[in-house]
Amino acid sequence: MNKGYEVIIIGGGPAGLTAGLYTSRARLNSLLIEKGLVGGQIVNAERVDNYPGFPEGISGFELGQLMHQQATKYGLKTIIAEATGIELGEEQKEIKTTEGNFIAKAVIIASGSERRKLGIPGEEKFTGKGVSYCATCDAAFFREVPVAVVGGGDAAITEALHLAKFASKVIVIHRRDQLRASRIIQEKAFAEPKIQFLLDSIVDEIEGEDVVKRIKLRQMKTGEKSALNVAGIFISIGLKPNTDYLKGILPLDPAGHIITNDKMETEIPGIFAAGDIRQNSARQAITAAGDGATAAIYAQKFLA
Ligand SMILES: Cc1cc2nc3c(=O)[nH]c(=O)nc-3n(C[C@H](O)[C@H](O)[C@H](O)COP(=O)(O)OP(=O)(O)OC[C@H]3O[C@@H](n4cnc5c(N)ncnc54)[C@H](O)[C@@H]3O)c2cc1C
């Protein structure tokens, strides 16, 4: 594969794919580097109802595929590889990946975010064996059995509502005394008889044999310990930006997000960032796509 490009985009979610559509359509020789499935996080959404242009909604997987198809039509090239670092030269940037190194004049970083982990005993051991980070992907495996959801934000409560369609019981465990989810989502959850709430509580350990059997809990105010028999535990405690490979290269905020101006420019000329990876991103497919378009337009101006 050709190793020199005018623009290299890291990450093939809505931000990267939109950036790729714009740069390719502007006839810039562009390469998209994606480490997993093209489409990004949105592929996990069973149904996306808030992406304009689809009045009946669309599956997240299909939306990702269509975005990729549209960008490819204008010449965007894609390679499946993980970006592991960037070396800054005078005029060029070298992107290091698991499939070799690539040179670009401008770089758009759109590597998004991934689910945060609890970091407790049993979590890693039982991942895929009862521990999940995506109810949309895995809920159907938990028919007529009790499951737990850890978290209290919009994502966690939306996952609990989805799980209630399959599981016998859904216990939401949240470390604070109130949920953080928006009122409309909370109201839906309170009206769902299968959903129960354990507030002021945390999970200390996940236990089982081949698969998850129970979780150990601690009441935050009293310190009282208990155990709960569940077949699954869905962890939804926020997102971690995928910026580990950029440490020491770009300034990041304390949570690891990239700081940009409203042209999506970072502190380093020729390096742009777009989507969920940015500080203060609204973390939606449409805002990520908007950032991608903006980054591509200013990358084009930078190259001109
Ligand atoms: C279950 C679920 C449901 C959702 N539902 C909706 C919804 O209904 N409406 C909505 O607007 N939003 C929804 N979202 C949020 C939306 O998916 C995100 O806001 C959006 O995908 C962010 O786009 P992005 O391109 O910035 O990043 P991402 O979608 O996170 O894409 C980043 C891509 O970069 C890749 N990557 C990461 N690191 C590297 C690396 N080092 N090298 C190469 N590639 C890398 C990743 O594999 C990924 O494909 C949902 C999210 C989830 C998880």
Side-chain angles (χ1 to χ4, degrees):
M1 180 176 260
N2 177 8
K3 298 249 164 174
Y5 291 87
E6 284 169 298
V7 184
I8 287 185
I9 299 152
I10 304 174
L17 291 169
T18 308
L21 168 66
Y22 273 69
T23 58
S24 302
R25 218 168 152 261
R27 300 202 190 289
L28 296 172
N29 187 18
S30 310
L31 175 72
L32 178 89
I33 300 173
E34 166 56 52
K35 73 170 178 178
L37 195 59
V38 169
Q41 290 175 68
I42 201 71
V43 302
N44 298 318
E46 191 177 67
R47 189 136 213 94
V48 181
D49 285 326
N50 54 6
Y51 198 88
F54 300 97
E56 304 305 321
I58 181 168
S59 89
F61 181 79
E62 196 184 350
L63 183 60
Q65 294 296 306
L66 288 173
M67 285 182 181
H68 189 225
Q69 202 179 312
Q70 193 173 358
T72 304
K73 181 176 134 189
Y74 290 101
L76 178 71
K77 292 174 197 74
T78 303
I79 177 177
I80 302 299
E82 179 171 357
T84 52
I86 302 180
E87 205 161 299
L88 304 173
E90 280 283 293
E91 296 215 332
Q92 296 185 325
K93 286 103 188 146
E94 186 173 350
I95 318 298
K96 299 179 180 209
T97 86
T98 47
E99 297 296 321
N101 299 349
F102 298 88
I103 306 284
K105 291 179 182 159
V107 179
I108 299 174
I109 298 168
S111 44
S113 43
E114 62 187 32
R115 299 295 179 98
R116 269 187 206 286
K117 305 213 162 41
L118 283 170
I120 55 170
E123 182 176 16
E124 211 178 310
K125 180 177 172 193
F126 292 111
T127 294
K129 296 170 185 160
V131 173
S132 170
Y133 300 87
C134 177
T136 323
C137 320
D138 296 334
F141 298 122
F142 296 87
R143 284 176 200 272
E144 298 307 325
V145 289
V147 297
V149 172
V150 183
D154 279 354
I157 307 306
T158 304
E159 303 228 308
L161 283 162
H162 181 65
L163 280 159
K165 293 184 205 160
F166 301 90
S168 58
K169 188 162 69 169
V170 182
I171 303 114
V172 175
I173 300 159
H174 184 44
R175 63 191 169 138
R176 302 194 196 288
D177 59 2
Q178 280 180 25
L179 301 177
R180 272 188 299 107
S182 55
R183 202 174 293 168
I184 186 162
I185 294 176
Q186 288 198 33
E187 281 166 7
K188 279 190 198 165
F190 293 146
E192 168 53 63
K194 278 192 191 171
I195 301 182
Q196 298 171 7
F197 296 88
L198 271 180
L199 300 179
D200 279 323
S201 299
I202 58 167
V203 183
D204 276 334
E205 196 174 342
I206 301 167
E207 291 184 334
E209 282 145 31
D210 295 338
V211 293
V212 169
K213 289 254 159 56
R214 79 193 71 78
I215 53 180
K216 287 189 167 169
L217 301 170
R218 183 155 38 104
Q219 225 283 346
M220 295 291 279
K221 285 190 177 143
T222 61
E224 193 189 335
K225 295 189 177 183
S226 60
L228 192 66
N229 289 336
V230 290
I233 168 167
F234 287 77
I235 298 163
S236 186
I237 54 166
L239 297 165
K240 174 184 170 299
N242 290 320
T243 48
D244 285 354
Y245 67 103
L246 298 169
K247 279 185 186 144
I249 300 166
L250 275 179
L252 306 173
D253 75 4
H257 295 102
I258 301 176
I259 301 158
T260 67
N261 62 17
D262 55 11
K263 296 176 182 169
M264 308 299 138
E265 292 167 329
T266 67
E267 208 171 73
I268 298 170
I271 300 198
F272 301 79
D276 278 19
I277 203 159
R278 284 201 317 125
Q279 188 182 44
N280 299 331
S281 156
R283 302 209 182 95
Q284 291 290 292
I286 187 64
T287 55
D291 282 2
T294 306
I297 288 166
Y298 285 100
Q300 200 181 326
K301 289 191 192 247
F302 169 80
L303 292 171

